[in-house]
Amino acid sequence: MARALGIGVIGCGNISKTYFLLAVLFRGMEMRACADMNMDAAKARAREFGLRAETVEGLLMARDIDIVVNLTVPMAHHDVSQAILDAGKHVYSEKPFVLSVADGLDLKRRADKKGLRIGSAPDTFLGGSHQLARHLVDAGKLGRITSGTCHVLSHGMEAWHPNPDFFFQPGGGPVLDLGPYYLADLVQLIGPVKRVAALTSIPARERTIGSRPRRGERIPVSTPTTVSALLEFAGGAVITFNASWDVWATGHAPMELYGEEGTLFMPDPNFFGGELRVTKRDKQARMLPKWNHPFSPDNEIHPHGPVANYRAAGLADMALAIREGRPHRCSLDLALHVVEVMTAMLESGQDKKFIEMKTSCERPAPLGPREARALMVRR
């Protein structure tokens, strides 16, 4: 068997724990080291998971590391990924991949020049529910997709997050924070976006932190927290996309796709599983049983109940794709196109105009039950 690729992680915050816990489910890669600007944080994570703690520079120089996972804050994604590529290592980044198309193209040029791979979260679209939706769309069960809706609506995270400042500054906001999950899922289902128009607003110019130790502190809001967009897809579908942190309650489904032969009600694409319902023309919607897919079973308790969480699946797919010489699903082109769509929403909201997309991408290959099992360690 070909050797497992060595994985190092830069950024030892909360999301790193998820990667370290779930990486053991997958074959073809091995977590070996972690680094952080705060060496104490790196050492704590290393002790927790039996890894090697490194400085950032030491990790980039390490000969046993093939892929570096970039889990830094979004504002640092480009610079850290650039340093990883310059060190001759493949990059897998958390979302959002970068904050501008120019930064993404810069990383693409660097990677192409050195023959390196770039991948990026989200990988939740590889989950059992979303891949069953892909199977239904590809099989023509809904007919041609003509339209749809996406709603990611809440009142933000200032009530519970100890340091929510970033979320309400440029580079944050509901589109850049949560949009990648919805847009990556839409692209894998129906293809790339052709043009975008949006309206944006900042209803509240300050937010009040609700959790200790900063409870009661007021923080400024300088990025749109309500965005209503229209997305025209290259295949002809028109999707309404609403993202807001100014909503106390909603009855909208996270995603709905409307086809010539029926409607598909989809679960939150922030998670790998969830309920999937479908109609046959105007008949009553029926619940579909969970697909016999390894990324369908609930394996984690979330504040809202049990959920399926298989984050690191996209990283594992990229590691095996490097070994097998095939495209990986959470690709640079997909991530860059999603970045352009998101930034176009914000630009359109500011300039009040339609914006044509300059990037595009192929739909990632589907990940059916057999292909998903091939990513996993046999138990």
Side-chain angles (χ1 to χ4, degrees), residues 90 164 235 349:
H90 306 286

Side-chain angles (χ1 to χ4, degrees), residues 154-234:
S154 73
H155 209 265
M157 62 287 298
E158 74 273 18
W160 57 266
H161 198 287
N163 295 294
D165 311 61
F166 158 76
F167 293 103
F168 300 102
Q169 299 169 3
V175 167
L176 289 171
D177 185 51
L178 296 168
Y181 299 107
Y182 288 75
L183 294 168
D185 206 8
L186 284 172
V187 172
Q188 75 101 11
L189 287 166
I190 60 176
V193 176
K194 179 181 178 182
R195 61 176 178 160
V196 171
L199 295 173
T200 63
S201 66
I202 306 177
R205 291 286 173 173
E206 288 187 327
R207 299 273 175 147
T208 302
I209 298 177
S211 60
R212 295 186 186 277
R214 299 173 61 194
R215 180 181 294 169
E217 182 179 337
R218 299 181 71 82
I219 56 175
V221 179
S222 54
T223 195
T225 51
T226 289
V227 178
S228 295
L230 290 176
L231 311 179
E232 181 183 357
F233 283 73

Side-chain angles (χ1 to χ4, degrees), residues 90-141:
H90 306 286
V91 174
Y92 187 87
S93 176
E94 249 305 320
K95 58 81 190 169
F97 167 45
V98 286
L99 297 180
S100 74
V101 173
D103 280 351
L105 291 174
D106 174 65
L107 295 179
K108 178 178 172 61
R109 285 190 293 268
R110 292 172 186 272
D112 289 346
K113 185 175 180 179
K114 292 198 170 190
L116 296 169
R117 299 273 189 119
I118 295 177
S120 179
D123 57 0
T124 46
F125 69 85
L126 300 176
S129 293
H130 305 287
Q131 288 300 307
L132 176 54
R134 170 71 179 265
H135 174 72
L136 294 173
V137 169
D138 288 355
K141 299 297 184 182

Side-chain angles (χ1 to χ4, degrees), residues 21-43:
L21 283 171
L22 296 175
V24 297
L25 298 175
F26 301 100
R27 66 185 186 90
M29 64 180 188
E30 181 180 275
M31 289 288 183
R32 292 177 179 163
C34 60
D36 195 285
M37 290 180 63
N38 178 351
M39 198 63 198
D40 289 340
K43 289 178 179 178

Side-chain angles (χ1 to χ4, degrees), residues 7-13 16-17 19-20 30-60 62 64-65 67-69 71:
I7 310 296
V9 169
I10 297 177
C12 294
S16 68
K17 185 171 184 177
Y19 276 84
F20 293 137
E30 181 180 275
M31 289 288 183
R32 292 177 179 163
C34 60
D36 195 285
M37 290 180 63
N38 178 351
M39 198 63 198
D40 289 340
K43 289 178 179 178
R45 276 288 185 256
R47 285 193 300 270
E48 187 177 3
F49 291 100
L51 305 171
R52 187 174 78 246
E54 293 269 16
T55 64
V56 172
E57 294 77 11
L59 181 64
L60 295 179
D64 65 336
I65 300 299
I67 303 174
V68 178
V69 182
L71 301 184

Side-chain angles (χ1 to χ4, degrees), residues 125-132 272 290-297 310 366-373 375-376:
F125 69 85
L126 300 176
S129 293
H130 305 287
Q131 288 300 307
L132 176 54
F272 284 73
K290 285 189 175 181
W291 214 14
N292 183 24
H293 192 288
F295 301 162
S296 288
Y310 296 89
L367 188 78
R370 180 176 60 82
E371 293 86 358
R373 281 190 287 270
L375 298 180
M376 305 189 79

